[in-house]
Amino acid sequence: MFSKVLIANRGEIAVRILRACEELGIATVAVYSELDRDALHVKRADEAYLLGPGPASESYLNIEKIIEVINQSGAEAVHPGYGFLAENAAFAKALEDNGTVFIGPPASAIEAMGSKTRARELMQAAGVPIVPGTTEPVQTIDDAKKIIDETIGYPVAVKAAGGGGGKGFRVALSEDKLKDAFEGAAREGEKFFGDATVYLERYLPDPRHVEVQVMADSHGNVIHLGERDCSLQRRHQKLVEEAPAPAVDEKLRAKIGKIATDAAAAVNYTGAGTIEGLLQDGEYFFLEMNTRVQVEHCVTEMVTGIDIVKEGIRVAAGEELSIAQDDLELRGHAIECRINAEDASKNFAPAPGTIGHYREPTGPGVRVDSGVGPGSEITPMYDPMVAKLIVWDVDREQATARMLRALGEYEITELKTLIPFHQAIMATQQWADAETCRDLIEDRAWLKELAFAPPAGAPEETEDEGEPVEQSYTVEVSGKRFDVKVIGPPFAGGAAVNGSAPAGAPAAGGRRPPRRAGGGGGGGGGGGDTLASPIQGTVLKVEVESGAEVQEGALIAVIEAMKMENEITAHKAGTVSELPISVGGSVATGDTIAVITSAAASEE
Ligand code: MV4
């Protein structure tokens, strides 16, 4: 086993991996950006090193700097988590050249699965059913028309070859929509992956997203840990995941399990991986393989009892998998809700900010994987997912009741999260009936009912007076982090300490049901007539003109931030009297997007 592992990630997944290392008796090395100096993963690791400034390109994606830290710290292996460098074949190769173990599959498997057309070709050759369509890139719209007319038919999905997770995915319902879909997918492929190549698939009208967890070692053992259903997603962001999948019985599980292990074996896979697929009318089609541990691995852990992260580390150290396929038993039902700093009532707009009071749910069958605590700052620079709430119970119905109980216990103040959204979803008949809830989560009127209440009261000031206190400081010496304690009088200026006293009612959580609509909390301050930007980013679209009459919830602009398109909607009805933004321009958090004045007296 390794004696020291570097975790090339941040947030909840870095903490998750630190926990696994601790249990395996492995010393840990954290890395962090300037924005993450006070992050939990940094405090928790045995050693921590600064990578650089906030932008991921200068920190968590900086391969050269990470290799420097590996050599400085003497780490023997690197766990990449998910995102950042997890599926970067060049990184896996660079580690190999440095004599460092990459805790994940061989670079060749990452590469093979990274190109979606190559993956489809390989899977087809291995006897894995793929969604009917092309395995070769389609060069022109005329070529596409010909192939669709002769084989696929409409509706057709146009997907970017470099894509994945829904990026660069367009649908053409009929031939007259093909040009837009083709060009849109190519444009997005170019923008996100530097590759405008596209391919075609038959568009399945109402599939479920079902994915199979696989694990493989370097001794030829490949097993599957059953499936997860991740159909509840918005704009290709998964929001809720569960295991087992409601639509999969034992017979189908054995069938898709075999498909998944065949797929993994075909690329000589090792470690933890996921075969993503579509299930429609009992038929299963391979979509893509994610060559990493996934956000939603936890629900599989809960129903199998297997620690997927520890198993991945063991396999990377050359050990055999500790379980065989026949030993595996599924027990009960697990559900995961992603707790994102987002406002569902505002089209899931990012809602970065600082957490006030923070308390996680506990009790039977409850697990929280998080990377935050009281006083944590959620920056718009990184992923808005701050925690995952996972529950287990004997069946789906009881797991749902337990999820509702746990969501009610979650206390987070001063930060808007998806907790009210999950409370609402879990209480619907659609969820109870195991439907995909696709229409519901696009239903603006329904989402608007999840609006947050305006903050109540002003915070009380609690002044510390001259008593000597013990204060912990962190110093960086040559980029390595050390914790020091200083005992003496507090600073008059009062450096912010964790957990400034919360005031008034919690913004979310408690036992409170989701609030009804009532304006309030317009995201990013402003208030009144001003619609302020909740995020920093680039203006992609402006959907209204100055002087326009808008309804509350009308689309005003689309802001691109962190490669995500965020819709900014009107916080109230009225006339757009100011519109100080233009396409291509940039906005900072809190900048005015628009000023909307009401003709008649407003209700507020
Ligand atoms: C599809 C599809 C229909 N037909 N491909 C791709 C990425 C993943 N986020 C969902 N993706 C889809 N690919 C073809 N050929 C429909 C989806 C899809 C989806 C599938 C199952 C459950 C929910 C979904 C939500 C959006 C898109």
Side-chain angles (χ1 to χ4, degrees):
M1 185 40 71
F2 308 116
S3 55
K4 196 185 261 193
V5 164
L6 181 143
I7 294 115
N9 216 303
R10 64 182 301 282
E12 70 86 18
I13 193 62
V15 174
R16 169 73 188 87
I17 298 161
L18 284 163
R19 285 176 165 144
C21 290
E22 258 173 57
E23 291 172 22
L24 291 168
I26 301 170
T28 52
V29 181
V31 291
Y32 60 98
S33 74
E34 285 170 8
L35 288 176
D36 278 338
R37 284 202 162 99
D38 297 316
L40 280 189
H41 80 278
V42 177
K43 292 184 187 138
R44 182 151 188 152
D46 296 316
E47 291 171 64
Y49 294 81
L50 176 69
L51 289 176
S57 58
E58 297 174 61
S59 50
Y60 299 105
L61 290 173
N62 186 341
I63 296 178
E64 230 172 272
K65 180 70 192 174
I66 291 170
I67 288 185
E68 197 182 303
V69 173
I70 292 167
N71 296 332
Q72 204 180 335
S73 64
E76 303 156 49
V78 172
H79 201 306
Y82 54 71
F84 296 126
L85 296 168
E87 292 177 280
N88 186 317
F91 180 57
K93 274 200 205 103
L95 291 184
E96 196 182 312
D97 293 343
N98 193 56
T100 308
V101 176
F102 177 72
I103 302 176
S108 57
I110 301 177
E111 218 157 41
M113 290 301 186
S115 158
K116 303 303 156 185
T117 43
R118 171 130 178 74
R120 280 167 60 78
E121 199 178 353
L122 282 169
M123 292 303 108
Q124 194 172 46
V128 169
I130 59 175
V131 185
T134 64
T135 54
E136 300 268 316
V138 178
Q139 306 296 348
T140 66
I141 295 170
D142 284 338
D143 288 352
K145 271 194 187 130
K146 198 155 166 269
I147 295 165
I148 295 162
D149 287 343
E150 284 168 10
T151 58
I152 305 172
Y154 292 93
V156 70
V158 188
K159 298 188 178 188
K167 286 235 172 80
F169 166 28
R170 297 290 164 96
V171 181
L173 296 175
S174 51
E175 192 181 309
D176 58 315
K177 299 279 171 18
L178 182 64
K179 186 170 183 284
D180 278 356
F182 192 96
E183 286 171 353
R187 195 162 3 95
E188 262 178 54
E190 176 65 45
K191 186 165 78 180
F192 293 129
F193 315 105
D195 179 2
T197 312
V198 302
Y199 64 101
L200 304 171
E201 282 180 1
R202 177 186 300 157
Y203 178 72
L204 307 181
D206 192 25
R208 299 198 69 107
H209 175 124
V210 173
E211 58 185 34
V212 183
Q213 177 72 52
V214 295
M215 296 233 52
D217 62 24
S218 53
H219 304 270
N221 302 302
V222 188
I223 62 169
H224 73 86
L225 307 188
E227 79 291 343
R228 299 182 279 262
D229 190 309
C230 313
S231 298
L232 210 154
Q233 39 182 278
R234 193 178 178 278
R235 306 265 153 94
H236 306 299
Q237 300 293 313
K238 294 167 186 164
L239 295 169
V240 179
E241 302 100 342
E242 61 183 316
V248 174
D249 61 14
E250 223 166 293
K251 190 160 162 251
L252 185 54
R253 179 165 306 118
K255 190 175 131 189
I256 66 178
K258 166 88 167 53
I259 290 171
T261 50
D262 284 351
V267 291
N268 295 313
Y269 202 80
T270 56
T274 301
I275 303 299
E276 287 199 340
L278 298 178
L279 182 67
Q280 173 132 355
D281 308 319
E283 255 195 294
Y284 192 68
F285 302 100
F286 170 88
L287 262 189
E288 60 190 66
M289 181 172 195
N290 293 327
T291 56
R292 56 162 200 272
V293 69
Q294 280 186 291
V295 172
E296 60 271 25
H297 74 279
C298 314
V299 290
T300 301
E301 294 187 325
M302 302 292 269
V303 296
T304 60
I306 290 163
D307 188 315
I308 292 167
V309 176
K310 279 204 280 194
E311 209 63 38
I313 297 172
R314 289 198 193 102
V315 161
E319 294 183 13
E320 278 197 57
L321 282 171
S322 69
I323 12 88
Q325 191 70 61
D326 291 341
D327 301 336
L328 225 110
E329 252 180 86
L330 296 186
R331 233 182 116 239
H333 200 95
I335 304 171
E336 172 178 282
C337 288
R338 297 193 185 193
I339 311 299
N340 297 352
E342 289 172 347
D343 186 345
S345 70
K346 298 207 160 39
N347 261 311
F348 293 81
T354 303
I355 294 178
H357 168 76
Y358 184 83
R359 196 176 150 107
E360 293 176 348
T362 60
V366 175
R367 165 177 172 181
V368 181
D369 278 22
S370 69
V372 296
S376 287
E377 196 187 327
I378 315 312
T379 123
M381 191 78 82
Y382 308 122
D383 198 301
M385 196 187 72
V386 297
K388 305 180 304 205
L389 172 56
I390 307 114
V391 302
W392 179 92
D393 210 327
V394 294
D395 59 27
R396 190 173 190 273
E397 192 182 348
Q398 294 187 68
T400 300
R402 185 163 270 177
M403 180 58 87
L404 277 164
R405 185 269 291 173
L407 285 164
E409 280 183 17
Y410 219 134
E411 295 173 27
I412 306 179
T413 65
E414 290 163 50
L415 184 80
K416 289 174 183 168
T417 72
L418 293 185
I419 289 172
F421 166 79
H422 289 303
Q423 285 177 310
I425 275 280
M426 288 290 131
T428 62
Q429 192 59 43
Q430 282 105 309
W431 173 263
D433 295 342
E435 290 174 15
T436 56
C437 306
R438 206 162 298 168
D439 303 333
L440 193 59
I441 60 176
E442 296 293 341
D443 182 340
R444 289 208 175 175
W446 184 78
L447 289 171
K448 248 190 64 180
E449 292 192 8
L450 305 171
F452 287 84
E460 271 172 60
E461 292 291 319
T462 45
E463 282 281 334
D464 279 302
E465 301 290 340
E467 288 280 307
V469 293
E470 180 182 301
Q471 305 211 62
S472 297
Y473 292 90
T474 304
V475 294
E476 274 165 11
V477 181
S478 308
K480 179 169 182 185
R481 186 188 164 103
F482 294 91
D483 294 320
V484 296
K485 262 184 211 156
V486 175
I487 296 156
F491 270 125
V497 181
N498 281 352
S500 60
R511 298 197 54 80
R512 200 179 312 276
R515 293 293 185 116
R516 297 282 138 200
D529 293 343
T530 303
L531 174 63
S533 179
I535 44 165
Q536 175 198 321
T538 308
V539 181
L540 211 61
K541 282 183 204 156
V542 182
E543 290 291 322
V544 292
E545 281 172 15
S546 199
E549 291 290 327
V550 294
Q551 291 302 312
E552 186 179 335
L555 185 60
I556 302 292
V558 179
I559 310 253
E560 184 187 314
M562 301 302 294
K563 298 190 173 178
M564 290 274 298
E565 293 183 9
N566 303 286
E567 293 186 348
I568 311 295
T569 54
H571 61 304
K572 57 182 276 202
T575 307
V576 178
S577 57
E578 287 176 40
L579 194 66
I581 54 167
S582 56
V583 172
S586 56
V587 290
T589 307
D591 278 3
T592 300
I593 299 277
V595 175
I596 302 174
T597 46
S598 326
S602 97
E603 350 162 16
E604 270 182 281

